[in-house]
Amino acid sequence: MSPTQSLSLRQRLRAFSGEWLGYALLALVLVVVMPLALDVFRLNLVGKYLSYAFIAVGLVMLWGYGGVLSLGQGVFFGLGGYAMAMFLKLEASDAKSTAIQSTPGIPDFMDWNQLTALPWWWEPFRHLPFALLGVIVVPVLLAFVVSFAMFRRRVGGVYFAIITQAVALILSVLIIGQQGYTGGVNGITDLKTMLGWDIRTDSAKIILYFANVALLFAMMLLCRWIQRTKLGVLLLAMRDKEDRVRFSGYDVAMFKVFVFCLAAALSAIGGAMFTLQVGFMSPSFVGIVPSIEMVIFAAVGGRMSLVGAVWGTLLVNAGKTYFSESFPDLWLFLMAGLFIGVVVAFPDGLAGLYRKYVTGRRRAGEPTEPAEGMPATTA
């Protein structure tokens, strides 16, 4: 084996061990440290933060690997959450529980708005399998329609980002305006059980937390697998040299459609898990402002790192909670300072910091540590 080959092998082994060390450390914190150190209320808060991490992981694939910036991921988060909330609300609106209403058997907000029958498009959500299917299918279908129409016409960059913002604004206005069908500005609240299982108890919150962690790691491993396939390589090539990929005979538009739909599906799963853990869903998670916050999660963690995206989500949301509790008059300024400070000090996010001080120790002339899925470069 030549010295160059030996160097490359050592580099690959160190990159591999450093990558999985990051996964192991994250798993240790989420599965062992958090449950032992936090009470049920705080653990449920962390579960809420982890539901946002699905969006950040999706943005790593979409923005970091695909080079497509979306400022409307709240749309898919909200649609997934509403699909789950509709099932839970119908289960909580049985004839016995709503006997005092003018029209028993329909959600309370429909009764308040003088509806006398359940809308036909609500009916299928009485069944959990259909609701779970809706969590994925509805957001992905919308993502496909929007992305296919835009990418086929080679709309990208800032123009695509603005269009996703417009979609977020339209959907939030639509949800608020159709109060009798969606709960309006209050959203869908007072969710109690899932198939008779009370999701409001402390034991249920703990179970849902671990289910959320397991599902998040499953999605991260799926994304990591995609990154290592030929598709992942093509996404990187498309991001950096789109015209060259197109001239090589590949359909760049459909690659972008795929990764946009993948990010939408991940966001929707996060929305469904959020609804289960928090017990409500409202249009406040659909609009432009929350969608921009979701991009910040990925930027702080490192838009090329799946593990970094989760850490970034935890850091931003933990800071938001702490600052709002301790400094209610200043917390927005402190959050802005946190974001600016992290981005200025660590341009590659928390993942860049990890690579520099944990996996980046090397001898002179040795290749630098790559981001997840990135080819190594020579110093």
Side-chain angles (χ1 to χ4, degrees):
M1 181 180 296
S2 67
T4 302
Q5 290 176 323
S6 177
L7 184 63
S8 177
L9 178 61
R10 289 200 304 271
Q11 170 66 13
R12 289 177 178 272
L13 288 174
R14 182 154 59 253
F16 179 81
S17 62
E19 175 187 341
W20 289 105
L21 176 63
Y23 282 94
L25 179 61
L26 179 63
L28 177 66
V29 170
L30 295 181
V31 177
V32 179
V33 177
M34 293 291 188
L36 292 177
L38 302 176
D39 57 30
V40 175
F41 173 76
R42 294 292 176 181
L43 190 65
N44 185 244
L45 269 183
V46 176
K48 172 185 169 182
Y49 303 159
L50 292 177
S51 66
Y52 296 143
F54 286 89
I55 310 168
V57 168
L59 282 168
V60 169
M61 300 300 296
L62 177 64
W63 182 30
Y65 272 71
V68 179
L69 175 60
S70 169
L71 298 179
Q73 293 306 102
V75 168
F76 311 114
F77 182 83
L79 287 175
Y82 268 96
M84 179 58 69
M86 289 167 71
F87 167 77
L88 298 176
K89 189 62 177 178
L90 288 175
E91 185 169 317
S93 303
D94 60 278
K96 182 179 179 181
S97 301
T98 58
I100 62 172
Q101 295 179 181
S102 301
T103 306
I106 65 174
D108 48 13
F109 59 83
M110 292 185 183
D111 188 64
W112 300 337
N113 286 276
Q114 285 86 48
L115 269 69
T116 57
L118 190 69
W120 65 267
W121 50 276
W122 269 74
E123 285 288 351
F125 286 91
R126 291 188 184 276
H127 310 287
L128 182 58
F130 184 89
L132 294 177
L133 187 64
V135 166
I136 303 296
V137 172
V138 175
V140 169
L141 184 59
L142 176 61
F144 177 82
V145 171
V146 172
S147 59
F148 186 83
M150 294 299 104
F151 295 140
R152 275 298 179 187
R153 291 164 174 79
R154 299 190 183 182
V155 176
V158 66
Y159 302 104
F160 183 79
I162 292 173
I163 289 170
T164 57
Q165 278 193 322
V167 174
L169 179 60
I170 291 169
L171 185 62
S172 61
V173 170
L174 181 64
I175 292 173
I176 293 172
Q178 299 298 315
Q179 181 171 308
Y181 301 102
T182 63
V185 69
N186 295 319
I188 301 178
T189 61
D190 197 25
L191 308 178
K192 302 173 182 178
T193 62
M194 183 176 68
L195 298 179
W197 178 48
D198 193 341
I199 60 175
R200 300 168 298 175
T201 64
D202 288 350
S203 60
K205 291 177 180 178
I206 294 173
I207 292 172
L208 287 171
Y209 170 81
F210 283 107
N212 198 17
V213 171
L215 190 56
L216 176 61
F217 270 92
M219 295 300 101
M220 291 170 65
L221 292 176
L222 172 64
C223 292
R224 190 69 186 104
W225 175 76
I226 292 174
Q227 289 175 356
R228 287 185 172 274
T229 63
K230 182 179 179 181
L231 174 59
V233 175
L234 285 171
L235 287 175
L236 283 174
M238 178 186 70
R239 183 198 66 184
D240 296 332
K241 297 290 183 181
E242 181 177 325
D243 288 339
R244 182 173 296 181
V245 175
R246 181 179 292 109
F247 295 152
S248 298
Y250 293 101
D251 192 341
V252 169
M254 292 311 297
F255 282 121
K256 291 185 176 182
V257 169
F258 166 78
V259 75
F260 188 67
C261 290
L262 173 65
L266 292 173
S267 299
I269 293 171
M273 294 306 300
F274 176 91
T275 300
L276 282 170
Q277 293 175 102
V278 179
F280 76 95
M281 175 52 66
S282 80
S284 61
F285 300 102
V286 177
I288 294 175
V289 173
S291 295
I292 293 176
E293 287 184 353
M294 294 165 185
V295 174
I296 293 175
F297 302 158
V300 169
R303 67 179 182 134
M304 291 298 297
S305 171
L306 299 171
V307 174
V310 179
W311 283 114
T313 304
L314 291 173
L315 175 64
V316 173
N317 283 281
K320 185 176 181 179
T321 298
Y322 173 76
F323 292 144
S324 62
E325 290 177 348
S326 303
F327 310 98
D329 296 329
L330 299 173
W331 74 273
L332 284 173
F333 298 100
L334 295 173
M335 280 300 300
L338 173 66
F339 173 60
I340 294 171
V342 170
V343 172
V344 170
F346 317 115
D348 295 326
L350 299 177
L353 187 66
Y354 173 80
R355 288 194 299 271
K356 179 178 180 180
Y357 291 102
V358 178
T359 64
R361 296 190 179 94
R362 61 191 179 88
R363 292 193 299 245
E366 195 170 343
T368 57
E369 296 295 332
E372 286 178 326
M374 289 292 288
T377 56
T378 303

